[in-house]
Amino acid sequence: MDRDSDRFLAAFNAIEHHLRELLDSAEHRPFSELLHQAGHTHALVRRLSSDLRNLAELRNFLVHRYQQREPLAVPSEASVAKVERIRDALLKPSTLH
């Protein structure tokens, strides 16, 4: 995979792992279910759920439709930056002092 795809997938996988840890969830639960359940109790996840759903679609396309020699798509820099910002917001939330 290309560099942007690798960055995108690494950030998305970190988000998915974080949601699984928040919910103490099994590996086989779909991301959409994790997002729905976490949205009930975590305001930040609820606020970001629309973006996360869209990014999940891109993730699925990249993982299931990627062709090494001629990829059908690669994530834009804006998509990579967005998923990395969301990852950072979820994994390293700012605290009020």
Side-chain angles (χ1 to χ4, degrees):
M1 282 199 178
D2 63 278
R3 182 176 172 277
D4 287 337
S5 294
D6 288 340
R7 284 177 54 207
F8 180 92
L9 292 172
F12 189 90
N13 289 340
I15 292 167
E16 185 171 20
H17 180 76
H18 179 70
L19 293 179
R20 288 188 191 288
E21 284 185 343
L22 282 176
L23 300 170
D24 194 28
S25 180
E27 284 291 319
H28 66 277
R29 290 190 63 199
F31 183 79
S32 59
E33 285 183 24
L34 296 174
L35 192 55
H36 180 75
Q37 186 176 355
H40 288 298
T41 55
H42 297 86
L44 182 56
V45 173
R46 185 170 45 254
R47 194 181 79 204
L48 296 169
S49 66
S50 178
D51 284 337
L52 285 167
R53 273 193 222 67
N54 291 334
L55 293 168
E57 289 184 33
L58 177 55
R59 178 254 175 223
N60 288 342
F61 188 84
L62 292 172
V63 169
H64 299 294
R65 308 281 278 166
Y66 193 89
Q67 297 176 9
Q68 190 65 33
R69 292 192 183 121
E70 296 179 30
L72 298 174
V74 294
S76 67
E77 181 57 40
S79 295
V80 173
K82 178 176 270 192
V83 75
E84 289 175 339
R85 277 193 310 273
I86 291 172
R87 175 204 58 205
D88 293 346
L90 290 172
L91 274 61
K92 306 171 199 169
S94 59
T95 56
L96 298 175
H97 296 280

